[in-house]
Amino acid sequence: MNVFQWLTVPPLALLAAIDLARALFQRPRFRGDRVLRAIIWTAGAVAIYDPMVTVRVAHAIGIERGTDLIVYVFALAFLGTTFFFYARTLRLQRQITELVRHLAIREAEQGPPRDPDKVVAGTPPSERTPLAAAASGPESVETAGSA
């Protein structure tokens, strides 16, 4: 083994072992994503330890070089994760839209929620918080800070 292999294979093997142990023994349930990560860490360690493995696998599926196989796998993984996160973002946007609609309808039916900070009798809004007082001018900062 060369220096690069000595520096990378042990940490990758450790990461694989940690993810696999957490997937199998950590509560509350089995985590498939951790198993997938353990498989990826193991594949990376094997490919670094014996680079000819990628060449043999590439030849077995009709690709000439192991490097090309790795590039194709990463390109497909990138596209897959891009589509996954795009769909997830759309789903979250729809959920936020529905939540905002629900809150707007509830507020329209019941009236605006009462904020105890705004119900102070006789106090104008600019004097209720130090931040608002600071925005109105330097002389208000001293009174807001001392109160």
Side-chain angles (χ1 to χ4, degrees):
M1 284 182 34
N2 62 31
V3 175
F4 177 73
Q5 291 169 325
W6 278 108
L7 292 174
T8 55
V9 171
L12 289 175
L14 181 65
L15 287 170
I18 289 171
D19 276 338
L20 190 59
R22 285 185 178 166
L24 296 176
F25 302 116
Q26 193 174 35
R27 300 247 184 251
R29 60 184 165 79
F30 177 77
R31 300 272 314 254
D33 60 328
R34 292 189 189 255
V35 173
L36 180 63
R37 285 196 323 216
I39 291 170
I40 291 170
W41 295 131
T42 304
V46 168
I48 291 170
Y49 179 74
D50 183 12
M52 288 305 292
V53 169
T54 59
V55 175
R56 288 191 292 271
V57 171
H59 284 293
I61 60 174
I63 300 174
E64 285 191 33
R65 299 183 312 162
T67 304
D68 292 340
L69 172 68
I70 292 172
V71 169
Y72 299 154
V73 166
F74 274 103
L76 291 173
F78 173 75
L79 288 173
T81 55
T82 300
F83 291 140
F84 171 78
F85 284 116
Y86 177 71
R88 187 173 183 176
T89 301
L90 288 178
R91 188 171 56 247
L92 288 172
Q93 286 175 344
R94 280 190 223 114
Q95 289 174 344
I96 290 170
T97 300
E98 294 211 13
L99 179 64
V100 168
R101 282 182 189 151
H102 175 74
L103 291 174
I105 290 170
R106 190 173 90 188
E107 186 175 312
E109 290 172 350
Q110 297 176 352
R114 293 182 47 105
D115 188 0
D117 291 337
K118 294 181 181 177
V119 185
V120 178
T123 306
S126 63
E127 296 177 10
R128 289 187 194 135
T129 62
L131 184 60
S136 64
E139 62 280 348
S140 299
V141 173
E142 292 173 9
T143 56
S146 61

